[in-house]
Amino acid sequence: ICSLFLVPVRTLAAMDIAMVIDSSSNIGQRRFNLQKNFIAKLAAMLRVGPIGPHIGLIQASDSPRTEFLLTNYTQPKELLFAIKELAYLGGDSNTGKAIMHTAETFFSQENGGRRGHPRVMMVLIDGWPSDDLDQAAMLARESGINVFLVSVAKPAPEELSMVRDKDFMKKAVCKDNGFFSYPIPSWFSTTKHIRPLIQRLCSLDGLLCSKTCYNSVNIGFLIDGSSSVGDGNFQLVLEFLAGIARSFEISDVGAHIGAVQFTYEQRLEFGLSDYSNKDDAINALRRISYMSGGTSTGSAISYTTQNLFRRTGPGRNFLIVVTDGQSYDDVRGPAMAAHKQGITIFSVGVAWAPLDDLKAMSSEPKDSHTFFTREFSGLSEFVPLVVRGICKDFTENN
């Protein structure tokens, strides 16, 4: 179908679509049936198939109800029958709950989500929701889900006093740019809106939420292997870095990690594209053997800038430097050169690492990019803070 819109058909193949439909008392049985006809026509035009788009469906009511998963029906006939058989629930219009429920687990690989395929959530609302959408929509965006909101029969001026949040449409969508919000005046005039709506779903370039920090960043680990660290503590450093890596979707089309260990010398442990899945990358990280030697952090930063981040675009490159002592060489110059090359540095100091050095290395604002703990056992507490910091920077730069 996308070929009708001058988009290659294969681009549509790469799509997983969750339809969140309104099954509340707002809509009533009659309009609920019109909604079913509308989504059946949409589904028929999308040409669902094993290698084509996959569609799953969730009903929004008091509590969300998953009716079928993405891989339950990959033949058009079965899918249309499943839509026809949907039973009306009634109850509150807790759309926020339904978006949250869908964002949390619906697209997981266990539930039939396909890796590297765009994720789309099309939410239909009759009138207005009974709950708030902000938190759920934020989770959806952070999870790489493109939320479209199809609002039918939006509140009339005299009904506005009953609407909890007048900006619910703006807050729910992937981006408030007009592309992801689609108002339809009434359930009796939906047919003419099917083609323009599919045209939007088909335009892959418009799906701005597909890229998230979790599936787009390059993270380099620069690891102090000097004699003062010691073998046991070196293992704690590797565990800390594995904790950070575990938070990202590492794959050939997703996030990448690489590692350099340094003393006076530098050793490239593995490059950003050496491992194309998370398990292999984390195992490689855990297998790094401890070097032991002096501490030249400055030349290690220069080495990493040139050898690890050679061919990667700015705005998504992050370097985590972990060190336990004073560097024998200058760190300022090499760190500034790395910043200029678009690499964001988080510096993590342990034990005798001087705060001045740590701050000289880290990116602006220094306070949120600099961490320090007296004991190696305290490193694990920094995992969520570093991950959140990376995602904040990525979102601001992209």
Side-chain angles (χ1 to χ4, degrees), residues 7 27 37 39 60 72 76 120 156 159 165 200 252 275 345 367:
V7 176
I27 194 168
N37 293 344
I39 58 168
N72 288 159
V120 168
E159 294 173 320
D165 183 350
R200 290 195 197 180
D252 46 355
Y275 297 101
I345 299 181
D367 286 349

Side-chain angles (χ1 to χ4, degrees), residues 115-116 210-219 248-257 272 275-277 316:
R115 210 185 68 189
S210 293
K211 282 286 175 209
T212 69
C213 80
Y214 300 108
N215 65 22
S216 306
V217 293
N218 300 308
I219 304 173
F248 293 89
E249 294 170 30
I250 298 165
S251 75
D252 46 355
V253 293
H256 300 96
I257 65 167
L272 291 168
Y275 297 101
S276 59
N277 73 61
R316 50 200 200 103

Side-chain angles (χ1 to χ4, degrees), residues 200-392:
R200 290 195 197 180
L201 297 179
C202 283
S203 61
L204 285 177
D205 291 343
L207 300 181
L208 303 176
C209 287
S210 293
K211 282 286 175 209
T212 69
C213 80
Y214 300 108
N215 65 22
S216 306
V217 293
N218 300 308
I219 304 173
F221 298 127
L222 184 54
I223 310 163
D224 184 342
S226 61
S227 310
S228 52
V229 175
D231 214 356
N233 288 333
F234 188 75
Q235 294 309 313
L236 290 174
V237 171
L238 296 182
E239 265 317 302
F240 161 61
L241 299 176
I244 293 172
R246 213 175 287 118
S247 306
F248 293 89
E249 294 170 30
I250 298 165
S251 75
D252 46 355
V253 293
H256 300 96
I257 65 167
V260 171
Q261 186 181 174
F262 70 96
T263 55
Y264 284 140
E265 308 291 316
Q266 304 87 31
R267 186 167 81 193
L268 179 64
E269 300 289 356
F270 57 92
L272 291 168
S273 48
D274 286 0
Y275 297 101
S276 59
N277 73 61
K278 189 188 291 198
D279 289 345
D280 290 351
I282 289 175
N283 287 336
L285 192 57
R286 288 214 173 101
R287 279 198 309 269
I288 292 174
S289 60
Y290 173 48
M291 283 168 77
S292 188
T295 314
S296 291
T297 317
S299 52
I301 293 173
S302 299
Y303 174 88
T304 307
T305 304
Q306 286 150 26
N307 293 280
L308 196 64
F309 293 108
R310 281 195 302 254
R311 296 184 300 274
T312 54
R316 50 200 200 103
N317 293 328
F318 296 87
L319 181 61
I320 317 295
V321 183
V322 186
T323 181
D324 80 326
Q326 175 109 37
S327 176
Y328 293 119
D329 60 0
D330 168 58
V331 295
R332 272 167 216 281
M336 279 173 73
H339 298 159
K340 277 205 180 86
Q341 202 180 302
I343 298 167
T344 301
I345 299 181
F346 287 83
S347 50
V348 182
V350 193
W352 307 107
L355 200 56
D356 288 354
D357 273 12
L358 297 173
K359 289 206 160 160
M361 292 188 286
S362 61
S363 293
E364 295 285 353
K366 301 286 184 188
D367 286 349
S368 57
H369 291 82
T370 311
F371 298 88
F372 178 78
T373 173
R374 282 256 160 257
E375 306 291 334
F376 282 87
S377 56
L379 284 171
S380 56
E381 289 170 28
F382 295 149
V383 170
L385 303 176
V386 173
V387 171
R388 204 170 305 143
I390 290 172
C391 284
K392 187 171 184 289

Side-chain angles (χ1 to χ4, degrees), residues 28-169:
Q29 180 74 60
R30 185 182 179 209
R31 293 202 301 267
F32 179 77
N33 289 340
L34 291 169
Q35 176 181 230
K36 283 195 332 189
N37 293 344
F38 173 61
I39 58 168
K41 285 178 189 162
L42 259 177
M45 264 188 105
L46 279 167
R47 292 200 190 147
V48 168
I51 57 160
H54 288 175
I55 293 176
L57 190 137
I58 301 92
Q59 294 215 57
S61 168
D62 290 326
S63 294
R65 186 159 105 183
T66 299
E67 296 291 351
F68 50 88
L69 297 169
L70 292 161
T71 45
N72 288 159
Y73 304 108
T74 55
Q75 295 303 329
K77 220 178 238 169
E78 298 169 354
L79 176 67
L80 297 180
F81 184 74
I83 292 171
K84 203 172 135 218
E85 291 296 293
L86 291 170
Y88 172 56
L89 303 175
D92 279 340
S93 179
N94 287 331
T95 312
K97 254 192 194 173
I99 294 174
M100 185 70 89
H101 164 81
T102 309
E104 279 171 346
T105 59
F106 197 79
F107 292 96
S108 68
Q109 279 175 278
E110 300 85 76
N111 283 339
R114 292 171 291 180
R115 210 185 68 189
H117 290 44
R119 299 167 172 182
V120 168
M121 191 189 311
M122 194 178 84
V123 182
L124 290 105
I125 293 187
D126 178 87
W128 59 90
S130 315
D131 60 352
D132 291 322
L133 308 185
D134 316 21
Q135 292 302 311
M138 196 187 300
L139 176 71
R141 280 191 290 275
E142 285 176 357
S143 310
I145 301 165
N146 297 276
V147 177
F148 284 82
L149 190 70
V150 179
S151 138
V152 184
K154 65 173 196 252
E158 63 274 13
E159 294 173 320
L160 277 174
S161 59
M162 296 186 276
V163 181
R164 272 177 78 135
D165 183 350
K166 297 176 186 39
D167 287 331
F168 74 86
M169 280 193 80

